[in-house]
Amino acid sequence: QLLPFADSSVGLVHAGAALHCWAQLPSVLSEVYRVLSSNGGLFFATTFAEPNVPRGSTLSSLGRRIGASVWNSTFRSFGVDELRLLLRGAQFRDDEIRIERIQDCFIVY
């Protein structure tokens, strides 16, 4: 699905704790790149770093512990090299990719 913005028209995209939720992450990242301003548009994102959440695990028990009635989501964690490859695949250049690990999370900017 396309983002409802013209090419190079957005100055900032923020995806807080979201990358691990998108089933079609390569397509989403390509769309983010497409809409970012070619004059210095910024992309900030956070996600889980391996091995924080085992690949394919579910959050059903976490949902019950925090009082949510139902949490059926399945999501994954990433390695730094995998994130870098995904961003490169979406046309981000190496000089546009910064990934920092803070405990069990990655910050992408």
Side-chain angles (χ1 to χ4, degrees):
Q1 182 172 349
L2 299 177
L3 294 172
F5 303 103
D7 294 0
S8 301
S9 64
V10 176
L12 172 68
V13 174
H14 176 251
L19 297 183
H20 52 273
C21 298
W22 294 332
Q24 301 298 324
L25 185 55
S27 297
V28 172
L29 292 174
S30 291
E31 273 299 284
V32 166
Y33 189 83
R34 180 187 67 79
V35 302
L36 280 177
S37 171
S38 56
N39 293 327
L42 300 174
F43 176 51
F44 291 95
T46 56
T47 194
F48 294 108
E50 288 181 336
N52 185 42
V53 178
R55 186 167 281 135
S57 67
T58 63
L59 289 180
S60 298
S61 62
L62 175 62
R64 285 192 293 277
R65 282 188 281 158
I66 62 172
S69 58
V70 177
W71 191 329
N72 293 322
S73 297
T74 299
F75 65 93
R76 51 164 309 183
S77 56
F78 294 91
V80 68
D81 292 335
E82 182 180 13
L83 282 174
R84 191 172 307 283
L85 284 173
L86 286 163
L87 290 161
R88 284 178 182 154
Q91 300 180 15
F92 286 88
R93 296 184 321 265
D94 284 339
D95 64 332
E96 297 172 318
I97 300 171
R98 290 174 186 77
I99 302 171
E100 184 176 335
R101 185 179 184 129
I102 298 184
Q103 296 184 358
D104 292 333
C105 296
F106 283 122
I107 298 174
V108 178
Y109 58 100

